[in-house]
Amino acid sequence: MRSPIAAVKKFVADLVLWSCFVGGLAASTAAGTVLDGTGKNIATAAGAVVALVAGSRIAKKPKIKAFLSRPGTLWFLFLFNGGTAVAMYFTMDGIKGILAAAMMGLVSLGAAGGLIAGRRQRAEAARQAAPAQTPWA
């Protein structure tokens, strides 16, 4: 059983981590409405980096990791991000559309890799669990 101080420390740490993630997303997407020029570019880049670092730390937590490795979640990520990548490529102009489509495509490919790896693990576990079939038994 965890002490109350340890529970509060974990809660505060999780709150800060999620706040950094949400704040980074907000800064990277909404900087254009508040700032112009170089400041906008810096805020967008810094927000993206903060969100990426915080998101990768969040994804390593056991409950989130278990949720992200479920086949249903992986199928959703694969199909949704793949469809979004195609839509972005055809609806956005210039380099922004190409980069956005490429990033969403990478997320989709990562989910596909998780699906393939999970399928291999399940097949290996089933093969090891099955009794050995020998022709002379």
Side-chain angles (χ1 to χ4, degrees), residues 76-88 101 104-105 107-109:
F76 171 77
L77 289 172
F78 172 65
L79 295 172
F80 179 79
N81 289 307
T84 304
V86 170
M88 284 180 164
M104 293 300 278
V107 173
S108 182
L109 289 175

Side-chain angles (χ1 to χ4, degrees), residues 71-114:
T73 304
L74 289 171
W75 272 108
F76 171 77
L77 289 172
F78 172 65
L79 295 172
F80 179 79
N81 289 307
T84 304
V86 170
M88 284 180 164
Y89 180 76
F90 288 114
T91 59
M92 294 176 72
D93 292 336
I95 192 70
K96 283 186 178 182
I98 294 170
L99 285 175
M103 294 302 115
M104 293 300 278
L106 285 175
V107 173
S108 182
L109 289 175

Side-chain angles (χ1 to χ4, degrees), residues 12-99:
V12 170
D14 286 344
L15 183 64
V16 168
L17 192 60
W18 279 98
S19 297
C20 287
F21 178 68
V22 171
L25 285 177
S28 67
T29 56
T33 60
V34 179
L35 302 170
D36 289 328
T38 305
K40 172 184 152 184
N41 293 337
I42 291 172
T44 300
V49 168
V50 168
L52 182 66
V53 170
S56 65
R57 296 284 308 250
I58 290 169
K60 291 179 182 176
K61 295 192 171 287
K63 288 183 181 178
I64 301 293
K65 195 173 189 177
F67 173 72
L68 290 174
S69 63
R70 290 178 28 206
T73 304
L74 289 171
W75 272 108
F76 171 77
L77 289 172
F78 172 65
L79 295 172
F80 179 79
N81 289 307
T84 304
V86 170
M88 284 180 164
Y89 180 76
F90 288 114
T91 59
M92 294 176 72
D93 292 336
I95 192 70
K96 283 186 178 182
I98 294 170
L99 285 175

Side-chain angles (χ1 to χ4, degrees), residues 1-4 6:
M1 188 168 182
R2 210 179 326 176
S3 72

